[in-house]
Amino acid sequence: MTTPAPARGGLAERRAPLRAHIDRWFLARRPPSDALELTQRNVYIVPTRAGWMLAATLLLLLVASINYQLNLGYLLTFLLAGSVAVGMHVCHGTLRGLAMHLMAPEPRYAGAAAVFRVVLDNTRRSTRYGIGLAVHRSGQWAWCDVPAGGSATVEVAFKPERRGLHPVPTLTAETRFPLGTFRVWTVWRPASQVLVYPAPEAHPPPLPAGEPMAGQAASSALRTHLAGEYDGVRAYRRGDPLKLVVWKRAAQAQAAGSEDLVSRDTQQAQRQDLWLDAQAAGLPDAEARVSRLCAWVLMADRLGVDYGLRVAGRVVAPSQGEAHKRQCLEVLALC
């Protein structure tokens, strides 16, 4: 009775802890930095599978040439060996001397791919071909050629699953130019971090009712405004947000031969403060509440109303605009 051979998947699973331990030991020796210049101290070279096959072929040719005293066999063997040696030197020089700079990553929402850009600078007077960049052990490569005395930008993406502040993952750069018989590679630990906003709720309920401002009576104007209705329109004032312009009326006025613009009048709607409170979200799960608050922040920003945020002991005073929206999303990401 024969014993079945171990499955390839099981062997890979047994090797995974050892590989992870070696990676942690190796990466701990490399200080994080957003700029890296590749030198002989941080560039490594190993033969590829094609390289090992070529080495076996050269060994076979050499043995056959010695056995049969073939002068042309010697010529072919040493000609190929010389080509491999030159290719090894060219392959190592393609990556050595390259400078890499990480551009500051933009915030992203959880569940969406976070894309960051890496600039490759080439000070050499010859083009560097076949430079690949990927997240370490991901296998998703982005390839480019770096022109002589110029630079190239490579976009690399990874997908963070949770909100918060995440370090940019470890990157790997490699090349196999020109023969593909050697793999020249390096590992880079960027120091930057990427902010991941919570994923907004897909179908959130309407915004909560506003709270009366100090010294003013409560009214239902805000509820009317949040439902999509406005108190009226007024003549366009310079500096009004484009989201408040009534484009349908502008088109009708243009058809009638007039170019006057009108804007929605939201002065009455601002008699109350709109507070986006975690308690008003009405969900038992903390992450679900944060997701609903994120959707409300985006909704209030689209409506162009002043809104504040109260969550996990953090308070953001009511305001509006792109900077205010980013501040609220940052609080939600880190709360």
Side-chain angles (χ1 to χ4, degrees):
M1 183 175 181
T2 59
T3 303
R8 295 179 61 90
L11 183 60
E13 290 178 359
R14 288 195 297 269
R15 289 180 177 177
L18 177 60
R19 178 176 294 180
H21 177 74
I22 294 176
D23 281 347
R24 287 193 298 268
W25 173 83
F26 180 74
L27 295 176
R29 300 168 61 89
R30 310 193 65 83
S33 174
D34 285 341
L36 180 66
E37 185 174 358
L38 303 182
T39 63
Q40 292 183 350
R41 299 177 61 87
N42 52 22
V43 174
Y44 313 99
I45 182 170
V46 292
T48 61
R49 290 185 179 180
W52 287 116
M53 291 296 296
L54 181 57
T57 303
L58 291 176
L59 181 60
L60 181 62
L61 286 175
L62 180 61
V63 171
S65 300
I66 294 174
N67 187 48
Y68 294 102
Q69 294 295 311
L70 298 176
N71 292 331
L72 291 179
Y74 286 122
L75 177 62
L76 178 61
T77 301
F78 291 115
L79 179 63
L80 291 176
S83 300
V84 171
V86 173
M88 179 179 64
H89 175 74
V90 173
C91 188
H92 192 268
T94 299
L95 203 61
R96 186 184 69 249
L98 195 67
M100 301 189 297
H101 304 274
L102 177 68
M103 301 178 66
E106 293 290 332
R108 289 293 186 270
Y109 291 94
V115 180
F116 51 93
R117 295 176 175 84
V118 178
V119 179
L120 307 179
D121 292 323
N122 178 21
T123 57
R124 202 168 63 181
R125 290 182 293 179
S126 59
T127 304
R128 299 175 186 264
Y129 296 99
I131 306 295
L133 202 66
V135 175
H136 188 54
R137 304 241 182 242
S138 69
Q140 304 295 326
W141 293 93
W143 299 92
C144 72
D145 298 331
V146 187
S151 62
T153 302
V154 181
E155 292 186 347
V156 184
F158 77 105
K159 189 175 181 179
E161 297 296 336
R162 296 181 59 84
R163 62 183 175 90
L165 198 60
H166 296 264
V168 174
T170 303
L171 303 177
T172 301
E174 77 164 43
T175 183
R176 303 189 183 194
F177 179 82
L179 300 178
T181 53
F182 289 92
R183 174 178 178 257
V184 179
W185 57 281
T186 188
V187 176
W188 179 23
R189 288 182 60 199
S192 291
Q193 295 178 314
V194 56
L195 182 63
V196 180
Y197 297 146
E201 187 178 2
H203 303 287
L207 292 172
E211 300 178 6
M213 289 183 177
Q216 293 189 3
S219 68
S220 61
L222 186 59
R223 294 186 181 91
T224 304
H225 174 69
L226 297 179
E229 300 289 334
Y230 290 83
D231 294 295
V233 294
R234 56 172 172 78
Y236 176 81
R237 299 172 185 168
R238 187 174 183 180
D240 284 349
L242 294 180
K243 65 182 72 175
L244 295 182
V245 176
V246 185
W247 294 108
K248 184 180 293 186
R249 293 199 179 186
Q252 295 173 353
Q254 186 175 9
S258 174
E259 296 184 357
D260 295 332
L261 297 178
V262 292
S263 300
R264 296 181 178 90
D265 189 3
T266 61
Q267 290 182 356
Q268 297 297 323
Q270 293 302 312
R271 290 175 181 172
Q272 294 184 350
D273 280 335
L274 172 60
W275 284 98
L276 307 180
D277 198 317
Q279 300 299 326
L283 293 172
D285 183 68
E287 288 300 322
R289 289 197 299 269
V290 171
S291 179
R292 177 164 294 181
L293 289 174
C294 178
W296 280 349
V297 167
L298 299 178
M299 188 186 302
D301 180 72
R302 287 194 301 268
L303 291 174
V305 297
D306 290 351
Y307 60 94
L309 179 66
R310 291 191 294 236
V311 58
R314 299 283 302 276
V315 177
V316 181
S319 184
Q320 61 175 283
E322 183 66 22
H324 180 66
K325 181 185 74 172
R326 287 179 174 267
Q327 183 184 5
C328 292
L329 292 177
E330 182 178 350
V331 169
L332 291 175
L334 302 178
C335 70

